[in-house]
Amino acid sequence: VNNYIKELTKNGLIRMEGVNKRRTTYYLTSEGIRRRGELLSTYMMEMLRLYRNAQAEFRARLIKFYNEGIHRVVLYGAGETAILVISAAKDIGLEVIGIVDSDPQKQGRELLGRVIGPPGQIEGMRPDGVIITSLAHRDEIYKNISHLEKDGIKIYPMVKNVPSIVADRDYTWFGTYDGLWRCHRLDGTWLHLDRSNSAILSNNILSLGVDSL
């Protein structure tokens, strides 16, 4: 932390006031305020870009499901991924007939006008398939509902691998859907290292397993 403070002070982004190290107050300078605004704008634009890319990737994956005869689906996992899936499914004729979640606190609530039910309701909905939209417990979820496959209900994970994140002294590295990214931890600048070979780069450089969708 002290190294970061020294660097920020050196660059004129913050100033310090105080009688000693224990009683020091840090303030953003006008340049620091300007830089904060730049970083916030960059962050917002980047999150919007990643959202759009994820939605496009999800749409392509859903089209693949649809072409395999999966027209009516239940989503397992009532979170952000489910919201993206519902949005992407609208214009391809894929019908989301229900959302379930194993978290009792989510059950009974609504997500985009759909009441979240318990997993035990899946079979009664008679879907063509279940799309696992939970990122944290995919293997466990599949194990718990794999018996549905004997009734002809196919089960798909929406995301093959969760985007990977690792941090070192200077950078935070992100393995995402469209390649490997590096964010400088001090100044917030981003560098897109690769758009097509994230799995290879991740395995060779960072030992991160990142699969494309």
Side-chain angles (χ1 to χ4, degrees):
V1 173
N2 289 336
N3 288 335
Y4 289 148
I5 290 176
K6 288 179 181 178
E7 188 69 22
L8 291 169
T9 303
K10 178 182 175 181
N11 293 334
L13 301 177
I14 64 172
R15 61 182 175 85
M16 300 181 291
E17 291 184 3
V19 295
N20 55 49
K21 291 183 178 180
R22 292 187 177 181
R23 298 180 60 187
T24 300
T25 304
Y26 301 91
Y27 298 94
L28 283 174
T29 63
S30 58
E31 178 63 17
I33 293 172
R34 185 194 67 79
R35 181 59 178 154
R36 181 182 64 181
E38 278 185 358
L39 293 175
L40 179 60
S41 177
T42 299
Y43 173 80
M44 292 175 66
M45 292 299 294
E46 182 59 27
M47 291 302 102
L48 179 59
R49 192 196 64 79
L50 289 174
Y51 174 87
R52 287 174 175 168
N53 284 355
Q55 189 174 39
E57 294 284 357
F58 281 13
R59 185 177 184 277
R61 194 156 170 78
L62 292 174
I63 289 174
K64 179 182 177 183
F65 298 162
Y66 188 87
N67 290 338
E68 292 176 0
I70 306 302
H71 299 163
R72 302 172 73 253
V73 298
V74 171
L75 307 184
Y76 194 130
E80 290 80 5
T81 303
I83 294 173
L84 276 171
V85 169
I86 292 170
S87 177
K90 286 180 179 179
D91 62 343
I92 63 175
L94 186 68
E95 184 183 2
V96 178
I97 62 173
I99 304 173
V100 301
D101 200 289
S102 56
D103 184 351
Q105 302 219 351
K106 293 183 178 180
Q107 294 167 9
R109 296 184 178 181
E110 286 194 3
L111 182 67
L112 298 182
R114 296 166 174 83
V115 178
I116 301 165
Q121 292 182 353
I122 295 175
E123 200 164 2
M125 297 181 194
R126 303 182 65 80
D128 299 322
V130 176
I131 298 176
I132 300 174
T133 49
S134 172
L135 300 182
H137 308 288
R138 290 165 299 160
D139 293 339
E140 181 183 345
I141 290 171
Y142 177 79
K143 182 179 179 181
N144 290 338
I145 64 174
S146 60
H147 65 278
L148 296 174
E149 292 184 317
K150 65 179 175 51
D151 296 323
I153 299 174
K154 296 182 179 180
I155 302 171
Y156 299 91
M158 191 61 229
V159 179
K160 290 182 179 179
N161 260 341
V162 181
S164 302
I165 302 174
V166 70
D168 59 22
R169 180 177 175 275
D170 297 314
Y171 299 100
T172 300
W173 305 75
F174 297 83
T176 69
Y177 307 110
D178 64 342
L180 191 66
W181 289 79
R182 186 183 74 187
C183 179
H184 196 284
R185 300 179 70 186
L186 181 61
D187 62 20
T189 55
W190 289 82
L191 177 63
H192 197 175
L193 298 179
D194 185 74
R195 292 179 181 273
S196 60
N197 231 356
S198 60
I200 294 175
L201 279 172
S202 296
N203 289 330
N204 289 347
I205 299 175
L206 301 171
S207 298
L208 298 177
V210 182
D211 293 337
S212 61
L213 286 172

